[in-house]
Amino acid sequence: MNDLIAPVHLPRVCYEIFVRAFCDSNGDGIGDINGITSKLDYLQELGIEAIWLTPIHPSPTYHKYDVTDYYAIEPEYGTMDDFRRLLSEAHQRGIHIYMDLVINHTSTHHPWFQKASASNANPYRRFYWWMTPQQIETRRIGRRQLTADSWEANPWHDNPGDPEKYYGMFTHSMPDLNYDSPLLRQKVYRITQFWLNEIGVDGFRLDAARHIYPYWEKERNPVFWEEFGKEIENIKPGSYTVGEVWAPAEEVGPYFRGLKANFHFDLSFNLQRILYQGTHQNLVRRLLDDYRIFSTYNPAFIDATMLTNHDQNRIGSVVEGNIAQMKLAAAMLLTLPGQPYIYYGEEIGMLGQKPDERIREPFIWTEDRNDPQRALWIKPRYSRRATVRALSLQQQDPNSLYNHYRKLIAVRKAEPALGQIQNPNLAETPIDTTTLLTYFRTHPTHPVLVIHNLIDAPQSVQLSGEMEKYTRLVFQTSPAVITEKNTIQLPAYGSVILTQGS
Ligand SMILES: [Ca+2]
Ligand SMILES: [Ca+2]
């Protein structure tokens, strides 16, 4: 169970790029691979050590989560040479590249499905799920319960002229692959081998990991990923994998048998609840419970944390554009254990609420309305120059959200207790004020104490007992005056990071 080898170097801060929206290099308005390459210096300066790219394979949709060719690059985004150059430039800067691997389903335009849907007498038929209405009825699997990631209630779709229907849990244009086919498994492992060894990516983000087998066989999913994890480890030892298992911790746990990391959706929701309600939600205790669950499946588990991703309302909109609360959100994410993922634009306070297109609006690089690098794939409604300060302005302002992120990331890297990714070193403090979130990041020689003020009013905190040793302020949101011995005055939504004074 524990034969997964940890990557030699685990990136301490990661960044998710929605490719279409990030940076346009050739003036067609669509963010692309060369655009990302041109911003590697920016990402390095921010402190990013790994990038998760949303899918870059050919696909008929703007989001590209329905692939038509797993061996190619979407022409809108560039060429294989462009991608190779991105990899090489990223690696020169110590930045890892993770590809989004979407293998729960394909596009209906994928040649596999084209062949599978054309006749039931070819080997590709078995790459998908087919049943007659009668079989569906008998097994009572005609309708599915809605989940956070799919509102499709009727997952069986008509194939014109065919007595059998096919299963597509997201939508009719995304037919689910059926991993009972050994040939399909072989083909998928060959794809991973191509990208890991022939092209040189560092790992994969696994889309819809909990849906590989349909809901009536869902206990087979962690088993599938266990096999997948072993294959990947054979193909390229130390490769990174992070799963999208949008479910409570109890359900996520078993996926750590095969996947090194999984996204922590419960944490994302708890952080949002903390911001809404201004109370700590027993976060530390809940996290310790989750870690216990994860570690029973794999003591070397990697907790992939985030405020939100490309499927959730942006954190900036969760707090209704309040920059002080966005700073608080960043301070929580970047001082908790795990491997944090920043969703592109979070660092400049981008806004956005569903539908999905609206949480994927173009990054605002400069205040120039004709900035050629700014993607124009959609006319922004939430993240406009009038509502979000351009990066170029924030870079010059020491108190900007951008510089807040940069400082926090630097502190996370400088303090070994904060940068520790595996074996989460989190501990409760004796402070029990509900409007404060406090925790230790334990360490044999350099432990850290973190205190967040969760409300829109100053609060003072008395440090007693063990906490009296923490006298050195290594980070503060804005001047947090230590008024007298062992008392810290925290401004509204302010955070401090303290170490033991020497
Ligand atoms: Ca472009
Ligand atoms: Ca599936």
Side-chain angles (χ1 to χ4, degrees), residues 340-355:
Y341 279 74
I342 295 166
Y343 181 42
Y344 86 93
E346 235 162 48
E347 76 275 28
I348 58 167
M350 280 178 62
L351 307 171
Q353 295 181 60
K354 290 204 169 208

Side-chain angles (χ1 to χ4, degrees), residues 103-105 129 167 169 176-179 208 211-214 221:
I103 55 167
N104 172 67
H105 53 266
W129 299 83
Y167 182 77
M169 69 143 278
D176 278 57
L177 288 163
N178 183 342
Y179 283 89
H211 296 298
I212 292 293
Y213 278 92
N221 285 319

Side-chain angles (χ1 to χ4, degrees), residues 134-143 156 215-216:
Q134 239 172 352
Q135 289 169 320
I136 295 165
E137 174 78 36
T138 310
R139 300 184 62 179
R140 299 190 181 177
I141 52 174
R143 292 179 67 80
W156 293 94
Y215 67 90
W216 62 89

Side-chain angles (χ1 to χ4, degrees), residues 23-29 366 368-376:
C23 178
D24 178 21
S25 73
N26 60 355
D28 67 357
T366 70
D368 174 6
R369 59 175 303 156
N370 298 314
D371 175 7
Q373 293 199 304
R374 183 163 185 204
L376 299 166

